[in-house]
Amino acid sequence: MSVDLVLREGTIIQDGSEVIRSVAIKANKIAGVFQLGSEPEAKETIDCRGLYILPGLIDIHVHLRDLEQSSKEDYESGTMAAAAGGVTTVVDMPNSVPPVLTRQVLEDKIERALSKRFVNVGFYAGIPKKAEDFDVRMLPDILGLKVYPHAPLAKGVKYNRNRIEDCFRLADEGNVPLLFHPDLPAKEEPSSLEEFLQIHSCEAEAKALNLFLDSKVKYESRLHVCHVSCAGTARAILERRAEATLTAEVTPHHMFLASGDFSHEDGTAKVLPPLRSPYDGQKLAGSLCLMCAIDCIASDHAPHTSVEKQAPFLEASSGFPGLETTLPVVLTEVFEGRMSWVDYLRVCCSAPASILGIPNKGVLAKGYDADIVLVRREKWKIRGRDFHSKAKITPFEGRDVLARPVSTIVGGEIVFRDSGFVIGPGLTGRVPVRRP
Ligand code: NCD
Ligand code: ZN
Ligand code: ZN
Ligand code: ZN
């Protein structure tokens, strides 16, 4: 056998332990994992001594913006950020301007992403005001339906029981998961930080979850809970997992940052759901690895301009870039002994692939897509100004981390090598990522 590329003599994780192996790639797939000396002949070899060879991250919660919000991010800057962050598959949220409520907008996004991509890009769609108007021609090209009860994509919609039942019915008919942002509509605009936290409280998160679960009884469709931020929500998910087909994600910022760490003068740490207490963060991290209440990590990469983030807290935009911080921050947990390798590979790679039903991704083994990141264990500091994302303001600014993604391979092609881009946009990566 002769192959296209051999990643030679790197550290891989086998049965939870670090072992030195070589990984062969042929025709966009992993052709096999080999002992030293038994590698097949290759057109190209990368010396991986001193590097980890890991499956690329699959980030199922990303806002790549573009269209009318390309000043915040576009498919090129966003997927460069992904590649530089060791993320080989991203799934783009539908709350763009315009939102993904029609086949036409979805097609515009696909077309732009195709020519600008550096990694695999999948898509979600929203649900129009009248559920009957949902364009089923979107289904082959989306991985899920996403709804925002606190800020509906379709104007004038109220998330009462009927509406939520309609959403579950559509998801059931389309055989896709229903994803939701667990929060309730605010009665008024907040006039202080305290009011902001009061409106987007843990109680609101739990109430929204219960409302959705109670409206789910008629349909088999799966509910995916986005960015769980409170200990109580994680507990509720665990309690109701058996009766309801349910999955959930958590972000690195909700696990590792707390509201009290920030001054909140501007929007640097403003996000929805808000950062919570250190107790919530610890419980969320425990729910991921010890209790299995939460299935995976997603970044909620939500880029905004520096002007939008540096405005006074109440006017500032919520959300921050995450594609270039997830791998360093989470692998630091592994290197400092707070997370096992097995948990890391599950929550960052294989679980996200199975939640969305994307085959052949998220595992470093023969036959899987060759979506791989090479990582060096090295101490460095996160600096927003170095991001490839257009969004440069991060609440992880200055944080010491122990892992650096140095090279990224997407569909067997080297995209990012020794911290620089080696091919142009639009050459590799699947757009859209589809279910089989
Ligand atoms: C997200 C955004 O900016 O699109 N903002 C955020 O604070 N998380 C929206 C969202 O994910 O709810
Ligand atoms: Zn959200
Ligand atoms: Zn809220
Ligand atoms: Zn989001």
Side-chain angles (χ1 to χ4, degrees):
M1 177 176 69
S2 150
V3 299
D4 300 326
L5 177 64
V6 164
L7 308 174
R8 199 172 178 282
E9 212 177 337
T11 303
I12 70 159
I13 309 308
Q14 213 165 59
D15 303 325
S17 308
E18 300 184 5
V19 293
I20 305 291
R21 293 284 187 276
S22 298
V23 176
I25 293 166
K26 185 173 178 160
N28 320 321
K29 302 265 182 206
I30 297 172
V33 176
F34 296 89
Q35 303 267 6
L36 291 196
S38 64
E39 299 92 343
E41 237 172 80
K43 291 188 197 123
E44 190 180 354
T45 297
I46 298 183
D47 180 357
C48 293
R49 280 176 295 178
L51 299 177
Y52 288 88
I53 307 175
L54 302 171
L57 269 66
I58 298 180
D59 192 339
I60 67 171
H61 190 147
V62 173
H63 303 266
L64 292 177
R65 314 287 192 208
D66 212 306
L67 304 178
E68 289 170 34
Q69 289 185 314
S70 54
S71 61
K72 293 177 192 271
E73 195 81 290
D74 61 36
Y75 287 108
E76 182 164 332
S77 59
T79 59
M80 284 174 96
V87 179
T88 48
T89 299
V90 294
V91 190
D92 185 33
M93 285 292 170
N95 68 333
S96 42
V97 179
V100 184
L101 294 170
T102 63
R103 172 81 206 168
Q104 188 55 54
V105 174
L106 180 62
E107 273 171 23
D108 284 354
K109 282 194 159 191
I110 291 172
E111 195 186 325
R112 286 181 196 228
L114 261 174
S115 64
K116 299 185 189 179
R117 74 197 192 276
F118 284 87
V119 301
N120 307 298
V121 183
F123 297 91
Y124 299 112
I127 298 174
K129 185 165 181 185
K130 287 191 185 146
E132 316 83 270
D133 293 342
F134 179 78
D135 189 342
V136 292
R137 293 172 306 160
M138 291 199 278
L139 286 170
D141 291 339
I142 61 169
L143 295 172
L145 296 171
K146 170 75 186 281
V147 296
Y148 299 82
H150 69 303
L153 297 183
K155 296 296 157 236
V157 171
K158 283 212 174 57
Y159 278 83
N160 53 29
R161 209 173 157 127
N162 279 338
R163 168 70 177 180
I164 301 171
E165 281 189 9
D166 282 345
C167 297
F168 279 120
R169 183 174 45 77
L170 278 182
D172 195 21
E173 287 167 7
N175 193 27
V176 287
L178 179 69
L179 294 89
F180 93 118
H181 176 127
D183 199 3
L184 298 171
K187 297 198 177 66
E188 272 170 69
E189 289 281 302
S191 61
S192 65
L193 170 63
E194 289 64 40
E195 271 181 37
F196 174 85
L197 296 174
Q198 189 60 43
I199 292 170
H200 304 287
S201 62
C202 285
E203 288 68 35
E205 184 169 296
K207 251 187 163 167
L209 174 66
N210 286 327
L211 177 65
F212 271 66
L213 288 176
D214 293 343
S215 312
K216 189 178 178 310
V217 282
K218 280 200 219 159
Y219 302 101
E220 286 293 304
S221 43
R222 183 152 42 80
L223 181 64
H224 178 76
V225 190
C226 291
H227 44 46
V228 175
S229 69
C230 304
T233 319
R235 213 178 311 120
I237 289 171
L238 192 60
E239 281 165 10
R240 301 193 63 172
R241 270 187 100 100
E243 66 179 87
T245 33
L246 196 56
T247 56
E249 75 193 26
V250 64
T251 67
H253 50 268
H254 288 115
M255 284 188 286
F256 305 126
L257 302 175
S259 180
D261 303 341
F262 298 91
S263 74
H264 299 288
E265 268 150 35
D266 68 6
T268 298
K270 184 175 181 181
V271 66
L272 286 176
L275 299 179
R276 308 290 186 188
S277 69
Y279 171 82
D280 288 297
Q282 282 160 23
K283 287 291 173 189
L284 292 172
S287 303
L288 192 60
C289 295
L290 302 173
M291 282 157 53
C292 294
I294 297 176
D295 303 81
C296 77
I297 291 179
S299 73
D300 190 13
H301 177 81
H304 298 286
T305 65
S306 297
V307 171
E308 291 163 332
K309 290 303 285 178
Q310 283 165 336
F313 183 82
L314 292 174
E315 287 112 74
S317 300
S318 37
F320 12 82
L323 287 168
E324 290 164 273
T325 49
T326 303
L327 181 150
V329 165
V330 180
L331 265 186
T332 299
E333 296 300 298
V334 175
F335 289 143
E336 291 186 338
R338 291 183 294 274
M339 186 185 286
S340 73
W341 272 116
V342 169
D343 282 332
Y344 171 83
L345 293 172
R346 177 171 52 83
V347 301
C348 290
C349 308
S350 62
S354 56
I355 287 171
L356 294 186
I358 322 173
N360 311 323
K361 289 200 184 296
V363 181
L364 189 82
K366 186 175 173 177
Y368 281 83
D369 289 351
D371 295 338
I372 293 170
V373 58
L374 306 181
V375 173
R376 186 182 302 123
R377 182 171 178 163
E378 169 191 321
K379 187 167 174 179
W380 61 287
K381 266 191 202 316
I382 290 175
R383 293 290 178 211
R385 59 166 187 265
D386 297 332
F387 287 172
H388 294 79
S389 171
K390 291 184 187 181
K392 310 288 185 196
I393 296 183
T394 169
F396 287 110
E397 183 70 35
R399 191 180 176 99
D400 286 316
V401 287
L402 297 178
R404 189 194 283 282
V406 291
S407 298
T408 304
I409 294 160
V410 177
E413 298 285 339
I414 307 164
V415 170
F416 183 73
R417 183 165 190 179
D418 302 327
S419 303
F421 283 85
V422 291
I423 61 171
L427 295 177
T428 187
R430 285 191 207 184
V431 175
V433 175
R434 290 196 176 99
R435 292 163 297 123

